[in-house]
Amino acid sequence: SLMLVASAVFIYLEWQAANEVLVVQVIDTRSGRTSEYRVARGKLEERAFQTSDGRYVRLAETERMEVGRGN
């Protein structure tokens, strides 16, 4: 029963971490324009992400991404 409880706690903590909301800023290095998005940690990839409202964003070669904790 201890293993079952430990497994349930582990699964819950993994689920909670994957659903943590982060603030992602996309910065165009040519123009300096910044866009801000809210993204669940589990939906964040290296050069792309899916926002909380369902939009899929893929970064161009001239853009960079900064990730911070959401409120």
Side-chain angles (χ1 to χ4, degrees):
S1 68
L2 181 60
M3 283 184 66
L4 185 60
V5 170
S7 295
V9 168
F10 178 75
I11 290 170
Y12 172 75
L13 292 175
E14 286 292 315
W15 173 84
Q16 188 179 27
N19 288 306
E20 177 185 9
V21 176
L22 303 172
V23 175
V24 175
Q25 287 186 327
V26 175
I27 301 151
D28 186 338
T29 57
R30 289 185 183 169
S31 67
R33 194 179 100 213
T34 302
S35 301
E36 189 172 288
Y37 303 94
R38 294 205 172 293
V39 179
R41 182 182 297 272
K43 301 290 184 172
L44 186 61
E45 300 173 18
E46 188 173 327
R47 302 278 307 158
F49 54 87
Q50 185 175 4
T51 64
S52 297
D53 60 357
R55 293 182 286 172
Y56 189 77
V57 178
R58 183 175 301 273
L59 274 61
E61 291 297 321
T62 61
E63 294 177 320
R64 65 184 175 94
M65 175 172 40
E66 292 182 1
V67 180
R69 293 201 179 262
N71 293 334

